[in-house]
Amino acid sequence: MLKNSMLYTILVLLVSITFLSFRSNASKAEKWRRAAGNGFAVLELFTSEGCSSCPPADALLERIQKEAGNKPVYVLAYHVDYWNRLGWKDVFSDAKYSERQYQYSRFFKGQVYTPQVVINGRSECIGSDEAAVSQGITQGLSSVPTVGLTIEARQEAGNIALNYQVTGNTRNDQLLIAVVQKHAVSKVKRGENEGRTLSHAQIVRKLYVFDLKKGEKAKEQIPVPEDFNAQEWEIVGMVQDPENGVIAAAARSVVL
């Protein structure tokens, strides 16, 4: 009887801990969903299929993307290439994304690691740390931007034509255009995630940098990727200071 009583007590404690953990995570998400202000949050996740610590971060950012709804929360997943030498080549990886992460490490005077999330170019944290990520989103959404960005994308003769407008003081800022695949699934055959089927969200397939054109409206063109599908891809634009990495504005567009 005593043994059964102890087992029952342990079971109750485990259920209580699980419930409290669920409530805690829900309250974190609810806090940023209720954030007031006209701000935004750009979440740049540096990840890799070769990293066994990355799938939880990928899952967290995918859930945040779904929960954001109409909130100006922009998730961008960059697959770095420095894990490729350890047994599995990530098909979405690109040396340019690794360099972008190294650039942030110089701004933050910190280490390069995966999974890492950079929020609005202002702060960074472990990509699977929900509390830190949620806090960053709340701060971003509660801020008061001094720069505005609108963007429209349309397919024209093998290219994607971009019409954009930037308002406010942009100094020497640049316009970054991320071509994003919303979802993909990979079966990993080697490396730390060998045998796993991984789900990816908001994969950056191409990243372009332009000097901002002053004036009411401006245009740029980028090539259409080979496997592009307008229903399953989107464009995310950012206005960023190349001297410190701070992102002053962001906007999203479907491709018409």
Side-chain angles (χ1 to χ4, degrees):
M1 178 68 78
L2 180 60
K3 184 182 292 184
N4 290 339
S5 176
M6 290 178 65
L7 288 173
Y8 176 78
T9 301
I10 292 171
L11 180 61
V12 170
L13 285 172
L14 288 174
V15 171
S16 299
I17 291 170
T18 301
F19 177 74
L20 288 173
S21 176
F22 174 80
R23 287 290 300 274
S24 176
N25 289 337
S27 65
K28 293 168 189 170
E30 190 64 28
K31 184 177 180 180
W32 66 256
R33 284 201 295 266
R34 290 184 178 183
N38 298 316
F40 64 93
V42 175
L43 310 180
E44 297 182 86
L45 171 65
F46 294 92
T47 184
S48 172
E49 290 182 346
C51 165
S52 60
S53 300
C54 287
D58 294 331
L60 172 61
L61 273 291
E62 184 172 10
R63 176 162 59 82
I64 286 173
Q65 174 72 19
K66 293 177 180 177
E67 292 177 349
N70 294 325
K71 286 278 188 182
V73 176
Y74 308 96
V75 174
L76 299 171
Y78 300 94
H79 288 237
V80 297
D81 72 334
Y82 51 79
W83 277 92
N84 291 352
R85 64 182 183 274
L86 300 178
W88 176 253
K89 183 177 181 179
D90 188 333
V91 67
F92 301 115
S93 65
D94 194 311
K96 292 180 181 179
Y97 307 151
S98 301
E99 176 52 36
R100 182 164 178 79
Q101 188 181 24
Y102 275 98
Q103 185 179 38
Y104 274 129
S105 75
R106 292 190 286 271
F107 292 145
F108 297 133
K109 294 180 173 57
Q111 295 182 335
V112 170
Y113 64 92
T114 54
Q116 180 188 35
V117 167
V118 175
I119 304 173
N120 285 358
R122 296 177 179 272
S123 63
E124 63 87 23
C125 64
I126 296 173
S128 54
D129 186 343
E130 184 170 0
V133 174
S134 296
Q135 181 180 4
I137 297 174
T138 301
Q139 290 175 346
L141 294 177
S142 301
S143 65
V144 180
T146 58
V147 175
L149 172 67
T150 57
I151 190 166
E152 181 185 88
R154 184 181 299 272
Q155 289 192 70
E156 293 181 357
N159 291 314
I160 297 176
L162 304 168
N163 294 293
Y164 70 91
Q165 183 174 3
V166 177
T167 58
N169 182 15
T170 56
R171 300 184 302 280
N172 296 317
D173 291 353
Q174 296 174 322
L175 174 68
L176 276 68
I177 297 294
V179 184
V180 179
Q181 184 177 350
K182 296 179 183 179
H183 181 70
V185 174
S186 295
K187 293 183 179 180
V188 180
K189 298 179 180 179
R190 293 180 296 279
E192 289 190 0
N193 288 313
E194 180 179 0
R196 300 185 65 176
T197 298
L198 303 181
S199 177
H200 304 304
Q202 297 299 107
I203 312 154
V204 178
R205 299 297 302 275
K206 295 290 182 181
L207 184 65
Y208 299 93
V209 181
F210 300 100
D211 290 330
L212 276 178
K213 295 177 181 177
K214 307 299 181 181
E216 286 298 309
K217 294 183 179 179
K219 296 181 179 181
E220 294 291 353
Q221 278 195 343
I222 58 176
V224 176
E226 290 184 7
D227 50 350
F228 178 79
N229 182 324
Q231 286 71 44
E232 299 174 0
W233 295 50
E234 67 180 10
I235 300 295
V236 174
M238 298 169 282
V239 176
Q240 186 171 40
D241 187 335
E243 295 183 358
N244 57 26
V246 171
I247 296 174
R252 173 187 287 115
S253 176
V254 298
V255 181
L256 302 174

